[in-house]
Amino acid sequence: MAGTGSGSSRPGVVPTLLYADAKAAIRQLTEGLGFTEVSVYEGEDGTVEHAELAQGNGVVMLGSKGRGGVFDRAMKGAGPAGVYVVVDDVDAHHRRAVDQGVEVLMPPTDQDYGSRDYMARDLEGNVWSFGTYAPEAGA
């Protein structure tokens, strides 16, 4: 069975999102929320067929809505997603998001379970939480 071992640098869970304007989403996620563009593949018409963005040792994959295919049909009418991303400096990350005009839903807050995090909404309604909580993966 293929997978990621505890010594692997590959993430074991990868959120996958579709956007009406994937190029704007990539700009917001990189410029406003600190992701690094790993790869972007565009179709002949300029739609984003597939993109991968990294944050720490995590990755999110995204593409354009309406390009067809099984995943696009399955996601049609689906609600927005919520994604949690572990970051070292929540306050600096939050300042960057605010400076870039990202909609912040909750400012940096110390949680009862020991994490400090904040919450933002991207241009198409997905909710992104950034914080210090790092869940342990089971063996």
Side-chain angles (χ1 to χ4, degrees):
M1 180 164 130
T4 60
S6 60
S8 174
S9 64
R10 292 176 162 221
V13 177
V14 179
T16 305
L17 306 169
L18 295 178
Y19 291 91
D21 188 343
K23 288 180 182 178
I26 291 168
R27 276 192 308 278
Q28 184 184 46
L29 290 169
T30 56
E31 295 172 12
L33 295 173
F35 282 79
T36 301
E37 188 177 295
V38 175
S39 61
V40 177
Y41 302 97
E42 294 184 13
E44 290 181 17
D45 61 355
T47 60
V48 176
E49 296 289 331
H50 177 81
E52 296 176 11
L53 307 178
Q55 173 75 265
N57 67 348
V59 175
V60 62
M61 297 187 297
L62 63 94
S64 297
K65 287 182 178 177
R67 60 185 167 79
V70 175
F71 188 69
D72 186 50
R73 286 191 299 277
M75 292 295 290
K76 188 173 182 73
V83 181
Y84 189 92
V85 180
V86 179
V87 297
D88 291 328
D89 188 339
V90 173
D91 295 284
H93 197 276
H94 172 259
R95 280 191 299 276
R96 176 183 181 157
V98 170
D99 289 347
Q100 291 293 322
V102 174
E103 179 187 359
V104 174
L105 302 175
M106 180 186 79
T109 304
D110 292 324
Q111 303 297 336
D112 292 341
Y113 49 88
S115 181
R116 180 166 179 77
D117 46 48
Y118 81 97
M119 193 179 311
R121 185 186 322 273
D122 72 18
L123 296 172
E124 295 193 20
N126 299 299
V127 176
W128 294 81
S129 297
F130 297 88
T132 57
Y133 179 73
E136 292 292 325

